[in-house]
Amino acid sequence: MDRKVTGADRPPANPASALTGAARSRRALFLAVAFAIAGCAQLDTGGGFENNTEARRELDAGIALYDKGDYVDTIRSLLTAREIWRAPVDTKITAQKYIAFSHCLLQRPEPCKESFRDLLRLKPDFELAAAEAGHPMWSAAFKQAKREAGVLALGRASGH
């Protein structure tokens, strides 16, 4: 069931006061990963945004929804953003990554893997950033999609 993540779904304003040392460490690691991902989202990798400001605006709007925890609208926004899918491949890859992350965070393993497969069709050698690679919500899904993409590539190369 699709639902918007609301304040009621989030921990209390000061959850650190109730956490054990191990839980604080896990929480700190999770926050570090989240901040790293948010920082990476701000990078322009030279993928042609200078010629497509509408695609950039659409991508930024989708990422802003993701940053607010609105994963359902992130997916909807990015999938329906026409200019993103007309833009250079780096733009599409970034959008597809956020779509996959959103599915994973909504605990939708199959759409998560399928979104990573779509990303790998755009760029077969794509790798998650170091801060993203070990994330507990999408690491396994990405690895499985990568393995499946490798098996499919081997099958195409051998003529099967």
Side-chain angles (χ1 to χ4, degrees):
M1 179 167 96
D2 292 348
R3 65 180 174 87
K4 185 173 179 176
V5 176
T6 65
D9 298 318
R10 294 193 184 101
N14 187 10
S17 62
L19 298 177
T20 65
R24 282 189 191 132
S25 295
R26 284 190 300 275
R27 182 173 173 81
L29 177 62
F30 177 79
L31 289 172
V33 169
F35 287 127
I37 291 168
C40 291
Q42 302 305 315
L43 297 177
D44 186 340
T45 60
F49 279 127
E50 60 279 351
N51 297 324
N52 198 337
T53 56
E54 183 62 19
R56 181 63 196 213
R57 188 195 64 71
E58 290 173 348
L59 185 61
D60 287 346
I63 291 170
L65 290 166
Y66 177 89
D67 289 341
K68 287 194 275 186
D70 190 348
Y71 307 122
V72 171
D73 282 343
T74 297
I75 295 165
R76 186 175 298 122
S77 172
L78 293 174
L79 284 175
T80 61
R82 288 185 210 198
E83 294 305 314
I84 286 175
W85 306 107
R86 294 177 183 159
V89 71
D90 287 349
T91 305
K92 296 173 194 171
I93 289 168
T94 301
Q96 198 62 54
K97 181 174 80 168
Y98 277 92
I99 292 167
F101 288 173
S102 295
H103 279 301
C104 292
L105 292 168
L106 288 167
Q107 298 182 7
R108 298 174 177 167
E110 289 308 312
C112 174
K113 282 187 280 189
E114 185 59 37
S115 296
F116 280 130
R117 284 185 207 111
D118 291 343
L119 185 156
L120 291 165
R121 283 185 202 103
L122 294 169
K123 185 173 176 145
D125 62 342
F126 177 84
E127 294 293 337
L128 293 171
E132 300 165 341
H135 192 281
M137 295 298 286
W138 58 70
S139 179
F142 178 75
K143 287 177 186 174
Q144 184 175 356
K146 189 86 169 167
R147 276 191 306 274
E148 291 170 6
V151 168
L152 291 174
L154 287 175
R156 284 191 297 268
S158 66
H160 290 97

